[in-house]
Amino acid sequence: MANDTLSVTDNRTGKKFELKIENGCIRAMDLRQMKTDAEDFGLMTYDPAFMNTANCKSAITFIDGDKGILEYRGYPIDQLAEKSSHLETSYLLMNGELPSKAQLEEFTTKITHHTYVHENIKQFMDGFRYDAHPMSMLASTVAALSSFYPEAKQVKNKEVRRNQMMRLIAKMPTLAAFSYRHSQGLPYIYPNNDLSYTENFLTMVKSIGKPNWRPHPALVRALDVLFILHADHEQNCSTTSVRVVGSSEVDPYSAVAAGITALYGPLHGGANEAVLRMLREIGDKKNVPEFIKKVKDKDGDKKLMGFGHRVYKNYDPRAKVIKKACDEVFEVTGKNPLLDIAVELERIALQDEYFVQRKLYPNVDFYSGLIYEAMGFPMEFFTCLFAIPRTVGWVTQFEEMITDNEQKIARPRQIFTGPRKRDYVMLDKR
Ligand code: ACO
């Protein structure tokens, strides 16, 4: 039987070490015993961008990037997208099991009871300029929520913590909708607790002058499916930000605000906005080959936005579901004219040696922007549509981190490359 250890010889000293292998990992701290002399700090690993470092143990989301598998608590994403709702999936993520009918009703009622925000939030929103980016507004108002719930600091108290988690899931659509209304110069619409999570959100965003206006059910369902697809994605950039910030035991509002700012970046959730800008720039199907040429040019700075993923090296299973959702949405809204350019880009890229060799496939953001645009959302709002469903992932990961006895405040090491001790020189002598 294989021995689950790693034998290491430190050639600097000739010493031999036996390191335990657990879950396909060695513990980085086990390297510390390897020293050249008593003064030596001990061996470390250098891993910029955490390319090969597990930062936690997690039971929430499983990804096999080579096989294109994504599961929440063991349930395949395509089954959840087809059969579940975002709130049911949220319950699953938070509690580890699918809810019974009664549990789902109770969960839905609790979320519904937390959808309103304090009236002062409206004034806070009003302080933003008319053209403020909705993600800036969302990040700031979520951070501000911690000042409304000072008890949120009790992160070790399960009941208090769960209350904030529910509040965050419930209030995120309200805050996102308010940021949209502010940027459009429209009055805020209060939540309607008789509606489903997603229908209520769309109503708060879109309703103008007709109190009984309701979004098309097919669009509600399509957005709910998109919410399911975006609910969690293990240790991505924003979730890692939430865990790292949360490891200081700050309240979950502040930690989630950090997640929102990480998500805002064009290499992460901001990519769906970048995809639309790219498709507009290409302008026509016939310009696709020329654009692909520019992307491949090593001296250029163009990327094929919505392509590539740190983990998925086969295909992004979410992209498959989204492509199907595109058809359902376009049946109601009419086809987004940019779809033809996107399809052509995908077709050419998937045959091109550059993309094949590097295992670059469409990711979740490649088609989601087209759906959002067809639904009438402005580009600047797309990443908010990602932040709303990802909230459940962030808070669940926050809770897993805070209740994990192996976790401590996050604090990586560095390799210092700057100058060492030198004497200060007075200004007139420099
Ligand atoms: N277009 C063109 N070339 C690309 C792309 C792309 N979209 N993505 C990666 N490459 C190339 C890189 O230039 C590199 O080439 P090289 O080996 O010749 O230097 C190679 O593929 C490997 O890419 P890395 O940047 O090392 O891959 P990494 O894992 O660091 O990056 C990332 C992943 C950030 C997603 C990258 O693929 C990218 O920037 N994609 C476009 C932005 C995007 O769509 N982001 C959304 C990701 S999904 C999400 O966050 C929800």
Side-chain angles (χ1 to χ4, degrees):
M1 212 189 83
N3 194 359
D4 282 343
T5 61
L6 178 73
S7 301
V8 181
T9 305
D10 186 343
N11 291 323
R12 300 172 302 173
T13 58
K15 284 191 187 154
K16 292 185 187 315
F17 300 87
E18 196 84 344
L19 309 185
K20 209 164 143 193
I21 300 178
E22 233 179 321
N23 306 306
C25 290
I26 57 162
R27 285 195 177 246
M29 280 303 285
D30 284 351
L31 300 175
R32 239 351 143 68
Q33 57 185 312
M34 299 176 195
K35 300 180 179 209
T36 50
D37 54 51
E39 296 280 284
D40 186 6
F41 182 75
L43 201 64
M44 296 191 303
T45 54
Y46 176 56
D47 188 13
F50 310 115
M51 296 284 285
N52 197 38
T53 296
N55 173 46
C56 62
K57 291 178 180 163
S58 181
I60 303 167
T61 292
F62 174 81
I63 300 177
D64 183 328
D66 293 326
K67 298 198 179 106
I69 295 173
L70 168 61
E71 295 165 0
Y72 297 157
R73 302 282 188 185
Y75 292 96
I77 193 66
D78 52 325
Q79 288 187 30
L80 291 169
E82 191 188 332
K83 298 174 180 150
S84 186
S85 66
H86 179 60
L87 276 196
E88 187 185 57
T89 299
S90 299
Y91 182 99
L92 169 70
L93 284 165
M94 279 176 69
N95 300 292
E97 297 297 335
L98 285 167
S100 67
K101 202 163 176 277
Q103 285 168 328
L104 182 58
E105 266 166 27
E106 191 195 339
F107 184 75
T108 305
T109 307
K110 272 192 188 155
I111 294 284
T112 303
H113 276 87
H114 285 301
T115 50
Y116 271 63
V117 291
H118 194 287
E119 283 290 287
N120 284 2
I121 288 281
K122 287 197 312 191
Q123 288 148 30
F124 189 78
M125 264 303 165
D126 286 342
F128 286 101
R129 281 178 61 99
Y130 70 96
D131 59 352
H133 196 289
M135 278 296 273
S136 294
M137 290 191 258
L138 191 63
S140 313
T141 43
V142 168
L145 282 184
S146 78
S147 67
F148 291 88
Y149 306 107
E151 76 276 17
K153 289 181 174 47
Q154 298 169 44
V155 291
K156 298 278 184 187
N157 179 322
K158 183 172 179 187
E159 200 187 325
V160 174
R161 187 177 63 235
R162 283 254 150 173
N163 215 1
Q164 317 316 315
M165 290 164 72
M166 302 294 264
R167 279 183 174 140
L168 271 158
I169 296 168
K171 293 184 197 313
M172 199 64 81
T174 313
L175 294 175
F178 279 19
S179 73
Y180 174 89
R181 305 287 293 197
H182 176 76
S183 61
Q184 302 294 311
L186 291 166
Y188 305 120
I189 305 268
Y190 287 106
N192 180 338
N193 293 344
D194 291 333
L195 306 181
S196 76
Y197 187 78
T198 307
E199 189 175 25
N200 171 48
F201 167 65
L202 278 172
T203 307
M204 286 190 290
V205 168
K206 292 281 174 187
S207 172
I208 302 173
K210 290 184 183 165
N212 294 325
W213 179 88
R214 295 290 170 262
H216 194 291
L219 299 188
V220 174
R221 177 60 194 155
L223 191 60
D224 206 57
V225 168
L226 285 168
F227 280 1
I228 294 169
L229 298 181
H230 287 88
D232 192 49
H233 211 234
E234 51 117 307
Q235 308 313 316
N236 55 82
C237 176
S238 56
T239 302
T240 300
S241 307
V242 170
R243 277 184 175 258
V244 168
V245 172
S247 75
S248 71
E249 297 187 5
V250 74
D251 66 88
Y253 300 105
S254 304
V256 166
I260 296 173
T261 53
L263 189 72
Y264 190 3
L267 297 190
H268 191 12
N272 52 21
E273 182 178 335
V275 170
L276 256 273
R277 289 188 197 284
M278 174 187 77
L279 294 176
R280 290 237 170 87
E281 182 192 328
I282 297 171
D284 196 289
K285 236 169 98 171
K286 69 174 182 344
N287 302 330
V288 168
E290 184 55 30
F291 184 80
I292 297 264
K293 218 163 102 193
K294 282 192 205 150
V295 167
K296 289 178 352 187
D297 178 4
K298 276 277 149 206
D299 297 329
D301 60 351
K302 287 237 177 302
K303 271 189 171 181
L304 184 45
M305 298 312 286
F307 256 66
H309 199 276
R310 173 64 57 78
V311 179
Y312 294 121
K313 299 298 176 196
N314 180 325
Y315 65 89
D316 183 338
R318 301 169 298 176
K320 264 194 173 174
V321 180
I322 288 192
K323 216 172 164 186
K324 195 169 150 242
C326 266
D327 299 334
E328 285 157 21
V329 169
F330 295 160
E331 231 168 77
V332 179
T333 61
K335 198 171 90 178
N336 187 327
L338 296 176
L339 179 69
D340 287 341
I341 304 175
V343 169
E344 181 68 356
L345 260 182
E346 181 181 353
R347 191 186 69 77
I348 296 189
L350 292 183
Q351 296 171 357
D352 190 296
E353 194 54 19
Y354 175 96
F355 298 92
V356 175
Q357 232 178 35
R358 290 170 179 77
K359 301 188 172 175
L360 300 170
Y361 292 87
N363 59 48
V364 68
D365 289 318
F366 192 66
Y367 285 105
S368 61
L370 289 174
I371 298 188
Y372 298 148
E373 190 176 67
M375 285 181 171
F377 292 112
M379 262 190 296
E380 297 71 34
F381 196 61
F382 291 178
T383 316
C384 291
L385 297 166
F386 192 155
I388 293 169
R390 182 53 58 86
T391 303
V392 64
W394 289 329
V395 295
T396 305
Q397 299 266 356
F398 177 94
E399 177 165 76
E400 188 175 61
M401 179 272 306
I402 217 81
T403 54
D404 180 347
N405 290 333
E406 283 196 319
Q407 289 294 336
K408 286 172 177 286
I409 185 165
R411 202 327 183 165
R413 295 279 171 179
Q414 66 168 8
I415 300 171
F416 182 69
T417 60
R420 289 299 319 277
K421 182 177 176 302
R422 42 184 179 165
D423 289 326
Y424 182 82
V425 180
M426 295 305 290
L427 188 57
D428 60 352
K429 297 271 174 337
R430 275 177 245 156

